[in-house]
């Protein structure tokens, strides 16, 4: 199966960061040509007036919480958790699947082709990911038994999930120790051992709020990153979400260990986490940084274009420096930085021959995207909120969104079902 995406403005994200007018040839799920391509493809799609770019990668979310969109706004974190836990306790397996599909559809429509998830019941979420056709790095939540509603031992559940989902083309099972506030050292080390044994990595929340850091300091005498370094938990290839409250020493420890960061600016701002992740210091110390939306109850959306914009604005605003985190760097975090975080820099993150064909085509013939040229294309992608312009999304060489239509399921029928599921769930929560 081959597709020629013809005549677009290609934001390649290659090492020269070239933006060129030309074609992209997709063959058997891979990018087989970029530029002026001579080929006889099975089909050709016209990308004149369009931007063609690598699919965005969301490095931290809880996709099935899409069904819990806008349920706990404008409240402090403790109230937020109270509300979301109360709803979570009433959710059925079906609700989790419906939420996951809803989130995957939102991502497909906003240019995200790959995401990293942290939750339980990832076996149900995997079905939604495969149905919509995205690429999912799915982390089964591991935590101390006394804190979980999971049946059985979380680390064993995670192991079973990994064993059952290894080797699937679109799913990569990972280990997700939820955070130091619900994981003993023993649980953390079991998670690490499992990741090593299964040749995968750990994804976890880290230093999201000041109380979390101070409580932990009281308990262990050390700041979280220092303690995790001491016990030998931090490992090359891990992805730590948030990392808002870090000292420079902790930034250096993460750099030394080879841990990547998933920066979640919208969630941090909305929950008033107070601090700002020290991105300039992370860059200086060579910490690899990616971006994440977090879940739909703390962000209210899964739009990675907006995440790039807010990441840039937050740094500029807090550092009093308009040159901090420029548009190109933001796009790098959501593509190349994310691919590196996943250990997939040879496969994902740019439009180059030999990489997997995860592509997004944006129709720029709309007021909000014009003017567009090779000079301003990247700025438009980061600052002009371009999600509504996403026309086609291709994952692994296959359309998941084509001419603005979801390909693999009846979206209208599904959305009606999702609306009913959400209403039923909220009615159950109100009745208690
Ligand atoms: Zn999170």
């Amino acid at each position: 199966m081959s597709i020629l995406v013809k005549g677009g403005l290609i934001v390649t994200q290659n090492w020269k960061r070239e933006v060129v007018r030309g074609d992209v040839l997709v063959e058997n799920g891979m990018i087989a040509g970029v530029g002026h391509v001579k080929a006889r493809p099975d089909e050709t799609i016209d990308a004149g007036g369009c931007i063609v770019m690598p699919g965005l990668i969301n490095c931290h979310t809880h996709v099935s919480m899409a069904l819990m969109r806008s349920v706990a706004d404008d409240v402090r974190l403790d109230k937020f958790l109270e509300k979301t836990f109360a709803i979570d306790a009433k959710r059925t397996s079906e609700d989790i699947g419906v939420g996951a599909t809803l989130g995957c559809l939102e991502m497909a429509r906003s240019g995200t082709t790959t995401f990293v998830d942290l939750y339980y019941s990832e076996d149900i979420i995997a079905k939604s990911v495969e149905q919509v056709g995205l690429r999912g790095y799915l982390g089964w939540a591991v935590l101390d038994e006394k804190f979980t509603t999971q049946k059985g031992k979380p680390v064993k559940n995670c192991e079973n999930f990994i064993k059952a989902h290894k080797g699937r083309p679109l799913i990569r099972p990972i280990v997700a120790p939820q955070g130091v506030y619900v994981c003993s050292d023993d649980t953390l080390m079991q998670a690490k051992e499992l990741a090593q044994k299964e040749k995968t990595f750990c994804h976890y929340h880290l230093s999201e709020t000041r109380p979390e850091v101070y409580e932990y300091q009281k308990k262990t005498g050390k700041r979280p990153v220092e303690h995790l370094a001491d016990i030998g938990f931090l490992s090359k290839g891990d992805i730590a979400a948030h990392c808002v409250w870090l000292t420079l020493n902790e930034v250096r420890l993460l750099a030394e260990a080879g841990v990547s960061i998933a920066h979640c600016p919208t969630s941090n701002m909305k929950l008033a986490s107070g601090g700002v992740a020290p991105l300039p210091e992370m860059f200086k110390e060579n910490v690899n940084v990616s971006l994440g939306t977090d879940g739909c109850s703390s962000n209210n959306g899964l739009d990675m274009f907006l995440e790039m914009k807010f990441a840039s604005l937050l740094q500029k605003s807090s550092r009093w420096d308009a040159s901090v985190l420029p548009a190109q760097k933001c796009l790098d975090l959501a593509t190349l930085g994310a691919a590196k975080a996943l250990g997939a820099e040879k496969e994902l993150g740019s439009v180059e021959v030999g990489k997997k064909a995860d592509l997004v085509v944006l129709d720029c013939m709309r007021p909000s995207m014009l003017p567009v040229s090779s000079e301003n294309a990247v700025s438009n992608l980061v600052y002009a909120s371009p999600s509504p312009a996403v026309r086609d999304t291709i994952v692994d060489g296959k359309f998941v969104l084509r001419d603005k239509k979801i390909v693999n399921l009846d979206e209208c029928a599904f959305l009606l079902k999702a609306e009913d599921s959400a209403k039923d769930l909220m009615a159950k929560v109100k009745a208690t």
Side-chain angles (χ1 to χ4, degrees):
M1 172 69 186
S2 59
I3 308 165
L4 189 67
V5 182
K6 198 162 177 55
L9 192 59
I10 308 165
V11 176
T12 64
Q13 288 296 90
N14 66 12
W15 71 277
K16 288 190 202 160
R17 302 295 188 274
E18 284 175 310
V19 179
V20 294
R21 173 85 47 199
D23 319 319
V24 179
L25 178 65
V26 173
E27 267 177 359
N28 302 322
M30 308 294 282
I31 296 171
V34 178
H36 295 289
V37 179
K38 281 198 177 133
R40 286 193 184 167
D42 297 325
E43 60 176 317
T44 299
I45 62 164
D46 181 12
C50 296
I51 289 176
V52 181
M53 64 177 291
L56 297 170
I57 301 172
N58 182 351
C59 275
H60 178 65
T61 189
H62 315 282
V63 66
S64 76
M65 291 177 97
L67 206 61
M68 293 158 72
R69 195 188 311 277
S70 308
V71 296
D73 295 338
D74 312 322
V75 291
R76 279 195 346 226
L77 183 66
D78 51 344
K79 281 272 167 238
F80 168 86
L81 292 174
E82 210 176 280
K83 278 190 166 184
T84 51
F85 287 166
I87 299 167
D88 213 30
K90 296 284 171 199
R91 287 206 303 169
T92 61
S93 296
E94 198 187 337
D95 291 333
I96 291 172
V98 170
T101 304
L102 188 63
C104 287
L105 292 174
E106 184 183 357
M107 287 193 271
R109 285 196 170 278
S110 54
T112 293
T113 51
T114 297
F115 71 100
V116 179
D117 202 56
L118 189 164
Y119 221 64
Y120 55 93
S121 299
E122 290 287 352
D123 51 338
I124 298 168
I125 293 166
K127 288 191 185 118
S128 299
V129 175
E130 288 178 329
Q131 188 186 19
V132 176
L134 298 187
R135 217 179 272 290
Y137 285 66
L138 306 182
W140 190 291
V142 170
L143 63 166
D144 295 353
E145 280 178 65
K146 65 179 172 190
F147 292 118
T148 187
T149 52
Q150 290 181 41
K151 289 194 181 79
K153 285 183 185 242
V155 73
K156 189 70 197 156
N157 296 342
C158 180
E159 186 174 7
N160 292 341
F161 168 68
I162 293 174
K163 287 198 186 326
H165 292 79
K166 267 201 294 198
R168 297 199 187 194
L170 294 176
I171 304 292
R172 174 96 191 270
I174 61 176
V175 185
Q178 193 170 323
V180 293
Y181 41 89
V182 285
C183 293
S184 66
D185 289 356
D186 188 41
T187 299
L188 289 168
M189 294 312 282
Q190 283 184 39
K192 175 180 167 146
E193 276 163 31
L194 176 60
Q196 283 178 340
K197 193 174 85 178
E198 296 294 344
K199 297 191 172 45
T200 184
F201 62 86
C202 285
H203 174 49
Y204 38 86
H205 295 108
L206 185 60
S207 300
E208 179 178 359
T209 65
R210 192 163 57 165
E212 170 196 333
V213 171
Y214 286 2
E215 287 301 315
Y216 200 68
Q217 231 172 346
K218 265 193 235 160
K219 204 168 83 182
T220 67
K222 290 262 171 83
R223 296 178 66 89
V225 178
E226 291 168 350
H227 180 77
L228 295 179
D230 274 1
I231 63 169
F233 170 74
L234 300 175
S235 307
K236 191 170 164 49
D238 289 355
I239 304 177
H242 299 297
C243 295
V244 174
W245 290 95
L246 297 184
T247 61
L248 187 56
N249 183 47
E250 287 177 292
V251 172
R252 288 180 178 142
L253 289 170
L254 291 170
E256 240 169 67
V259 174
S260 291
I261 308 302
H263 173 45
C264 305
T266 307
S267 174
N268 298 156
M269 286 191 281
K270 184 157 177 279
L271 289 172
S273 298
V276 176
L279 262 58
E281 288 71 24
M282 289 174 183
F283 298 145
K284 193 161 170 272
E285 301 296 330
N286 288 321
V287 177
N288 182 55
V289 180
S290 60
L291 298 178
T293 57
D294 213 351
C296 263
S297 41
S298 64
N299 182 314
N300 303 42
L302 302 171
D303 184 335
M304 283 293 291
F305 285 110
L306 285 180
E307 214 57 45
M308 290 195 283
K309 178 172 181 170
F310 290 141
S312 181
L313 301 194
L314 177 58
Q315 293 296 326
K316 291 178 196 318
S317 172
S318 65
R319 300 286 172 136
W320 295 29
D321 180 355
S323 69
V324 171
L325 203 53
Q328 181 62 64
K329 183 73 178 168
C330 277
L331 186 59
D332 290 355
L333 302 187
T335 54
L336 298 162
K340 191 174 174 196
L342 299 173
E345 57 268 56
K346 291 199 177 117
E347 297 165 19
L348 305 174
S350 61
V351 184
E352 293 180 278
V353 172
K355 287 215 174 176
K356 291 191 169 168
D358 289 9
L359 302 169
V360 177
V361 180
L362 297 103
D363 180 1
C364 297
M365 290 300 116
R366 49 172 52 236
S368 60
M369 289 300 281
L370 291 177
V372 65
S373 67
S374 55
E375 279 78 43
N376 73 2
V378 170
S379 289
N380 280 4
L381 291 176
V382 174
Y383 297 130
S385 312
S387 281
V390 172
R391 187 190 76 181
D392 310 303
T393 302
I394 296 172
V395 180
D396 221 27
K398 297 182 189 81
F399 286 99
V400 298
L401 180 78
R402 181 169 190 166
D403 281 332
K404 292 192 166 276
K405 282 201 176 63
I406 290 291
V407 174
N408 296 327
L409 71 156
D410 179 345
E411 191 185 27
C412 263
F414 169 77
L415 293 179
L416 291 171
K417 183 178 157 191
E419 184 68 354
D420 284 347
S421 298
K423 273 187 196 147
D424 289 352
L425 175 60
M426 293 314 285
K428 265 191 274 173
V429 174
K430 277 201 184 117
T432 53

